[in-house]
Amino acid sequence: MSSITAEFSDWEYRNIALAAVTQCAVLVHELATEGSASRHTMRACLRPVYLMNPDSVAQVYPTIADLNQGIKTLQHSFDSAGLKENAEVVRYMLGMLVLQQRLSGEKAMQATIADRLTRLLPDGPDAEPMAEDMPIQALHADCSALARLYQDTISKLSFRIHVAGNPEHLRDHVVADQIRALLLAGIRSAFLWHQLGGRRWHLFFYKKHIRETLSGIRRKLIN
């Protein structure tokens, strides 16, 4: 698959951002139940966290094909069978949308997050985050730093996401850090989704249109 030449409308990018939230939720579920997840897919989700003032949505999601897991899962979750199959993933996705809304009213917390994210970039704000060739140790270190940021800020909000899974995996500090980092990443993409006009009620009233749009995006990625 390749998205290098594909062009997307604002409406499509809105739903791509929602698919990014969903992909974060998929990875959270995989980590909680299986103890591991694709590093490549994880990097695609985490990279937007560091891009606080992008020039375009395309800069945030430069390779849409890397979000195919989230696009496919979101598309299938709009029918009853898919919703049942992905119940936990949808719960996490909706939870991140709620946290985005709560965080949007906390300007001081937003400023703290932005400041700490800027300081986490190794070579300043123009550095390329989450490089494809980054070693696994660096990925773990990044997830650990993002997890601490999540604990110091978003976990203080009144709404909490309860992650269900294998207790052995959830007790593993590496897995726990990756889960928190992905929740932070999902909330970042939820912010972009909201900035592009996304609202939770759209998921109920526009679900057929959204599902068809996601199908069209996937076709563009194949062509």
Side-chain angles (χ1 to χ4, degrees), residues 10 12 24 39 42 58 65-66 71 74 111 122 134 136-137 168 172 180 193-194 196 206:
D10 289 345
E12 286 174 320
C24 291
R39 278 184 282 166
M42 196 179 303
D66 288 345
I71 294 170
L74 181 59
M134 72 183 302
I136 184 62
Q137 294 86 353
E168 182 178 350
D172 186 317
R180 292 188 182 100
W193 171 74
H194 190 270
L196 292 170
Y206 294 163

Side-chain angles (χ1 to χ4, degrees), residues 67-203:
L67 301 173
N68 188 57
Q69 186 179 22
I71 294 170
K72 181 179 179 180
T73 302
L74 181 59
Q75 179 188 358
H76 290 169
S77 296
F78 282 107
D79 62 59
S80 56
L83 180 59
K84 183 177 181 180
E85 178 184 351
N86 299 299
E88 288 291 351
V89 171
V90 172
R91 182 171 68 83
Y92 300 148
M93 182 266 286
L94 293 174
M96 285 184 272
L97 298 186
V98 172
L99 284 172
Q100 176 273 320
Q101 187 175 39
R102 300 289 176 89
L103 181 59
S104 66
E106 300 287 342
K107 301 304 180 185
M109 186 178 290
Q110 289 182 52
T112 297
I113 292 172
D115 177 66
R116 286 181 55 175
L117 284 174
T118 300
R119 288 188 280 122
L120 284 176
L121 287 170
D123 299 311
D126 296 326
E128 177 67 22
M130 291 288 160
E132 187 65 30
D133 59 350
M134 72 183 302
I136 184 62
Q137 294 86 353
L139 179 62
H140 288 169
D142 275 9
C143 285
S144 178
L146 293 175
R148 287 196 298 274
L149 176 55
Y150 183 90
Q151 287 179 300
D152 292 343
T153 56
I154 294 170
S155 66
K156 307 297 184 183
L157 297 172
S158 58
F159 181 84
R160 306 286 287 273
I161 295 177
H162 173 70
V163 176
N166 185 320
E168 182 178 350
H169 298 324
L170 294 173
R171 284 194 296 267
D172 186 317
H173 72 91
V174 172
V175 172
D177 283 350
Q178 290 174 341
I179 287 174
R180 292 188 182 100
L182 285 163
L183 291 175
L184 180 63
I187 293 166
R188 166 66 182 97
S189 284
F191 260 97
L192 182 55
W193 171 74
H194 190 270
Q195 288 169 350
L196 292 170
R199 301 294 183 268
R200 276 182 288 163
W201 60 268
H202 293 173
L203 303 181

Side-chain angles (χ1 to χ4, degrees), residues 34-49:
E34 302 171 19
S36 64
S38 162
R39 278 184 282 166
H40 176 81
T41 310
M42 196 179 303
R43 277 193 295 265
C45 288
L46 294 173
R47 183 180 178 277
V49 174

